[in-house]
Amino acid sequence: MKSDEIEGWRVGLKSETQVGIESQTLEISGPGNLKIEIQRFKSVEVTIEGFVNLEMAPTKFFELSCKCYDSVNKCKVSLDYYFTGEPEAYLIVGCAHWVIPIPFAQQLVHVFLLG
């Protein structure tokens, strides 16, 4: 699956077979020559966290995080999507991070959740 480019960002899943074992690589490309590959990606291993303020009426949703672990490169991968004020989204891989456009964050959440 390759997605349409959104403001210089693109995400896709590439199926691979090595020694009879099938796996997927999550490919993210961004502005310039940015290319991120998360090998052995499994949507069932993505952790999803959400934070809401239940004391507000109506309830206000503050953050959605989708996290997985890149076992090949031994680092955490996280999409943090904030709804305080203007929505903001960050892609974090290890200690590097990028501010990403909201439409691309929505597309990335879809890939994290559904593969």
Side-chain angles (χ1 to χ4, degrees), residues 43-87:
S43 60
V44 296
E45 294 179 358
V46 172
T47 302
I48 301 158
E49 296 177 345
F51 299 96
V52 297
N53 185 341
L54 299 174
E55 295 175 358
M56 296 181 77
T59 301
K60 184 154 177 144
F61 192 65
F62 285 111
E63 179 186 358
L64 172 68
S65 290
C66 298
K67 300 175 183 181
C68 64
Y69 184 73
D70 182 348
S71 60
V72 174
N73 296 310
K74 309 229 181 306
C75 66
K76 289 184 204 174
V77 177
S78 176
L79 167 66
D80 291 339
Y81 197 166
Y82 296 95
F83 300 94
T84 52
E86 288 296 314

Side-chain angles (χ1 to χ4, degrees), residues 1-7 9-11 104 107:
M1 170 200 133
K2 273 288 187 198
S3 67
D4 294 329
E5 186 172 302
I6 298 176
E7 297 180 44
W9 291 86
R10 182 181 294 257
V11 63
F104 179 71
Q107 190 174 55

Side-chain angles (χ1 to χ4, degrees), residues 100-114:
I100 58 176
I102 296 302
F104 179 71
Q106 292 167 341
Q107 190 174 55
L108 196 51
V109 166
H110 184 270
V111 172
F112 272 130
L113 296 178
L114 302 176

Side-chain angles (χ1 to χ4, degrees), residues 20-40:
I21 299 172
E22 285 194 35
S23 66
Q24 290 186 313
T25 297
L26 176 65
E27 298 177 327
I28 301 171
S29 57
N33 294 325
L34 178 63
K35 185 161 177 129
I36 301 166
E37 289 188 350
I38 312 302
Q39 298 175 2
R40 300 182 197 145

